[in-house]
Amino acid sequence: MPDTPPRPSVLFVCVHNAGRSQMAAAFLTHLAGDRVQVRSAGSAPAGTVNPAVVEALAEVGIDISAEVPKVLTVEAVQASDVVITMGCGDTCPVFPGKRYLDWRLPDPAGQGVDAVRPIRDEIERRVRTLLDEIAPTARA
């Protein structure tokens, strides 16, 4: 049996885990399937995922209506190969040996779906680029 490399793992973090990190995790899960382990969390999670984000993703065939914001844990960071922050600032724990990226994106909080669409499209573009880097054969 050939050796299969371990699945890369990615953690997307934003403050509320209700918008940007949810969209990024949904796109990576959708595009990579089970070939990448995907997590998302927030430093101060909201009660629910932003409805405009749910609607914007539904427009491209991705259903996140059952997702709930999750709290950022040290364990989630330690278990991830790549940690992508989206405006969580200094609240994200940093560990040596992890790859950190900071994606500066507008916050969809309080925005309607028209304002969320360009954020969604930019997140999809960045996720596709990331997927090509970490798991080139995993792209659909």
Side-chain angles (χ1 to χ4, degrees):
M1 186 170 229
D3 286 342
T4 55
R7 289 189 309 163
S9 58
V10 178
L11 170 64
F12 294 100
V13 182
C14 66
V15 175
H16 300 298
N17 190 223
R20 294 165 288 187
S21 56
Q22 289 281 351
M23 284 191 281
F27 272 119
L28 186 53
T29 299
H30 178 74
L31 295 168
D34 61 0
R35 290 169 275 197
V36 176
Q37 187 173 22
V38 182
R39 298 178 181 88
S40 72
S43 52
T48 59
V49 175
N50 180 334
V53 167
V54 173
E55 182 180 343
L57 283 175
E59 291 176 354
V60 295
I62 299 174
D63 179 11
I64 64 162
S65 60
E67 292 296 326
V68 293
K70 294 166 276 308
V71 69
L72 175 64
T73 64
V74 168
E75 294 77 20
V77 176
Q78 288 176 320
S80 300
D81 299 314
V82 181
V83 179
I84 298 175
T85 58
M86 302 171 168
C88 79
D90 296 335
T91 61
C92 297
V94 174
F95 294 95
K98 303 290 176 196
R99 179 178 174 197
Y100 288 88
L101 300 172
D102 186 34
W103 289 0
R104 297 186 183 275
L105 296 158
D107 189 346
Q111 304 290 322
V113 72
D114 288 342
V116 173
R117 284 184 193 112
I119 302 167
R120 173 201 66 199
D121 295 345
E122 177 61 16
I123 288 172
E124 180 183 12
R125 186 190 68 73
R126 292 183 188 199
V127 165
R128 286 181 181 276
T129 300
L130 175 71
L131 184 56
D132 284 344
E133 292 172 11
I134 64 170
T137 60
R139 188 160 171 183

